[in-house]
Amino acid sequence: DGGITQSPKYLFRKEGQNVTLSCEQNLNHDAMYWYRQDPGQGLRLIYYSQIVNDFQKGDIAEGYSVSREKKESFPLTVTSAQKNPTAFYLCASSTLPGTGGYEQFFGPGTRLTVL
Amino acid sequence: AQSVSQHNHHVILSEAASLELGCNYSYGGTVNLFWYVQYPGQHLQLLLKYFSGDPLVKGIKGFEAEFIKSKFSFNLRKPSVQWSDTAEYFCAVNPLGTNAGKSTFGDGTTLTVKP
């Protein structure tokens, strides 16, 4: 089955700890995205990447970091600098813009709770 | 900066009622427009998209949307809703050109259909 996998589904961390969320896709998509979803606020873009070894900040990148060493993988690290990290995190992928409308395919999400 | 505004946060309808969800965006360049849906317990998935051509686009499950460029709007419609349409609906804008990939989502509209 082609799709996007995110792990873990639930994640708990203590304040002051960094934590890395996994995202893998086997859709052969060039572009990948990370969003944060909070109740009543929709999805907000954290980082996105259109090619290996390159990525751009989204609207709320502060306190987060990413890497794109492989086309299939786009891990997100929530650092201790993120002031309010408790949220639902969604990963997505798409073809590149300009190819008939680059719809995004979403993973199941990771719910992060900071204790 | 681009933005997306969804007019209704929560809509409650009876089965067979007609639905229209408003979406307006602000962006100075060319965009692709999307409606995504998140059914309870499921992944976010594409409902329909507009990227060029006929401004009236049809999606899955009888949904359609009309792009009115002069009004920067992309409203979602369905003539007769069903209980199974209960879900959260998100409008999204994906710019082309320089900012390609920097997606913006609306805050979402929760639709509850009463049987």
Side-chain angles (χ1 to χ4, degrees):
Chain A
D1 275 342
I4 300 176
T5 56
Q6 291 186 242
S7 60
K9 187 173 182 179
Y10 298 97
L11 188 57
F12 298 89
R13 77 150 215 224
K14 294 181 180 179
E15 277 192 36
Q17 290 180 335
N18 293 354
V19 63
T20 297
L21 282 59
S22 167
C23 177
E24 304 276 333
Q25 55 100 358
N26 61 3
L27 299 169
N28 198 32
H29 285 163
D30 289 296
M32 296 186 74
Y33 312 79
W34 273 106
Y35 294 92
R36 171 180 172 139
Q37 187 177 16
D38 294 287
Q41 294 194 47
L43 279 70
R44 290 183 289 167
L45 184 65
I46 304 172
Y47 270 97
Y48 62 106
S49 167
Q50 298 188 54
I51 194 170
V52 172
N53 293 323
D54 189 41
F55 45 82
Q56 287 76 41
K57 292 182 179 180
D59 298 319
I60 56 164
E62 185 175 351
Y64 299 98
S65 66
V66 293
S67 63
R68 187 89 186 273
E69 297 178 1
K70 298 187 298 182
K71 185 176 181 179
E72 306 79 24
S73 178
F74 192 40
L76 173 74
T77 297
V78 184
T79 75
S80 56
Q82 168 50 233
K83 295 180 181 178
N84 185 21
T86 295
F88 188 58
Y89 291 88
L90 282 168
C91 179
S93 70
S94 76
T95 57
L96 289 177
T99 53
Y102 55 114
E103 67 189 83
Q104 295 179 39
F105 294 78
F106 287 85
T110 292
R111 187 166 298 280
L112 172 65
T113 302
V114 174
L115 304 172
Chain B
Q2 68 205 49
S3 65
V4 176
S5 174
Q6 291 185 235
H7 305 162
N8 312 96
H9 292 295
H10 196 176
V11 173
I12 302 173
L13 296 172
S14 298
E15 276 195 313
S18 64
L19 170 72
E20 181 161 2
L21 300 182
C23 173
N24 285 88
Y25 71 94
S26 66
Y27 184 71
T30 305
V31 297
N32 292 159
L33 296 160
F34 303 82
W35 277 96
Y36 291 90
V37 61
Q38 190 167 31
Y39 297 105
Q42 296 188 25
H43 298 192
L44 203 62
Q45 61 185 279
L46 181 71
L47 198 57
L48 48 76
K49 65 181 179 182
Y50 171 82
F51 57 97
S52 67
D54 189 345
L56 183 63
V57 293
K58 296 187 184 300
I60 60 172
K61 303 187 178 184
F63 285 90
E64 65 178 32
E66 185 176 12
F67 171 47
I68 303 179
K69 190 174 181 180
S70 61
K71 295 185 178 180
F72 296 90
S73 71
F74 190 55
N75 293 352
L76 180 70
R77 300 193 292 252
K78 186 172 184 178
S80 176
V81 295
Q82 300 174 315
W83 176 79
S84 58
D85 293 325
T86 294
E88 191 161 16
Y89 294 80
F90 294 93
C91 181
V93 169
N94 286 5
L96 300 177
T98 307
N99 289 320
K102 194 168 185 180
S103 308
T104 300
F105 281 71
D107 288 345
T109 297
T110 300
L111 172 65
T112 302
V113 180
K114 295 182 175 179

